[in-house]
Amino acid sequence: MEPLYGTVITAARLLWLAEGLKFGVSGVGNVPKTGPGVVAVNHTGYMDFTYAGIPAFLQGRRKVRFMAKKEVFDNKIAGPLMRRMRHIPVDRGAGAESYAQAVDYLKQGELVGVFPEATISRSFEIKEFKSGAARMALDANAPIIPTVMWGSQRIWTKGHPKRLGRTGVKILISVCEPIDPVGDADAITAQLHKVMSEKLLELQDAYGTHPSGEFWVPARLGGSAPTLEEANELDAADQARRARKKPE
């Protein structure tokens, strides 16, 4: 029993109700009812981790331990809550400890949530993946559970103001068939990227109208979001700025 995690889930569901969010969830049966799994999620908005746990909750009220950047845990309010819910802080400059903790959780039979893109995709297309999800799946002999969302970027994403009022936004979440931890990390990562990219196209097709020029619509669909190549350039510039600010 984890009363705090349960309370947070209840509070989140009440918030979503107040916001009028409309969820469409599919593939819940692909979440294992018991045992470990690496829940790999695409990343388009700051609230993604709150929505990505919905399929697991619907599958026997399972809980996901998300890997999140260390800065979230440094917050005086969010930090203690995140730790008590057994989420995993990630220091991008020294990730060995968080990786080991994630593998340990998997070996204990937990679901561990990861974002293989490592950062929000400003293009809302799926970026290149890091291999961490595949490596931890191999080390823990745990399946990867590809999970794809569409619509969450409309709530709060990089470079745009948050919209936490009553928006009535639709968010689609779909869980793909698990990927077995067999082979090498690069091959598994490539398979994961292919599966999630194809599912994202399916969700976009099913979503309905994508208004021309809207910030949350990919350039490919007529929106004003940057292309994947342009977004990668913006990310590289951000990374360079952060590197210059680091004390020597």
Side-chain angles (χ1 to χ4, degrees):
M1 296 295 293
E2 296 183 67
L4 175 62
Y5 207 146
T7 299
V8 170
I9 289 173
T10 298
R13 294 175 72 186
L14 290 172
L15 174 62
W16 300 336
L17 183 64
E19 292 175 304
L21 300 185
K22 300 176 178 65
F23 291 99
V25 184
S26 60
V28 171
N30 288 323
V31 180
K33 291 183 178 180
T34 60
V38 179
V39 180
V41 189
N42 67 312
H43 204 6
T44 63
Y46 291 112
M47 302 300 289
D48 287 348
F49 77 97
T50 66
Y51 310 135
I54 291 175
F57 181 80
L58 295 176
Q59 181 69 296
R61 295 180 177 265
R62 296 203 68 183
K63 299 175 177 63
V64 182
R65 316 300 172 179
F66 283 98
M67 302 184 76
K69 61 183 181 180
K70 178 179 174 291
E71 289 80 359
V72 176
F73 291 79
D74 292 338
N75 183 278
K76 292 181 180 180
I77 297 175
L81 294 175
M82 294 288 282
R83 290 187 178 86
R84 286 182 61 188
M85 289 186 287
R86 300 177 65 205
H87 296 307
I88 304 168
V90 178
D91 184 341
R92 290 176 180 173
E97 184 176 348
S98 58
Y99 179 88
Q101 185 176 359
V103 171
D104 183 56
Y105 277 4
L106 290 167
K107 289 181 177 178
Q108 294 175 36
E110 298 275 10
L111 297 174
V112 173
V114 301
F115 296 98
E117 296 163 288
T119 187
I120 288 175
S121 172
R122 301 183 207 232
S123 70
F124 312 127
E125 308 283 9
I126 292 185
K127 292 164 54 71
E128 182 179 352
F129 281 179
K130 306 294 185 184
S131 63
R135 289 187 288 109
M136 66 178 63
L138 288 167
D139 286 347
N141 192 31
I144 300 180
I145 316 300
T147 303
V148 182
M149 289 190 292
W150 185 245
S152 64
Q153 74 273 21
R154 298 177 66 183
I155 303 300
W156 186 14
T157 192
K158 187 177 289 186
H160 297 278
K162 62 176 77 72
R163 301 172 66 225
L164 300 178
R166 190 167 184 83
T167 59
V169 164
K170 178 169 65 175
I171 298 174
L172 301 183
I173 308 171
S174 186
V175 184
C176 308
E177 291 186 8
I179 297 175
D180 293 329
V182 177
D184 64 79
D186 288 342
I188 294 173
T189 300
Q191 181 184 3
L192 178 64
H193 191 279
K194 180 177 184 293
V195 166
M196 292 180 65
S197 297
E198 291 174 352
K199 179 57 69 174
L200 179 62
L201 294 179
E202 289 181 20
L203 293 185
Q204 289 171 339
D205 286 344
Y207 195 79
T209 303
H210 289 83
S212 177
E214 283 287 337
F215 79 90
W216 59 272
V217 178
R220 174 177 51 82
L221 296 177
S224 61
T227 65
L228 184 57
E229 293 74 18
E230 291 168 342
N232 286 339
E233 291 176 2
L234 291 170
D235 290 341
D238 282 352
Q239 189 173 6
R241 280 194 293 270
R242 285 195 297 269
R244 288 194 296 269
K245 289 180 180 179
K246 285 184 178 179
E248 297 184 5

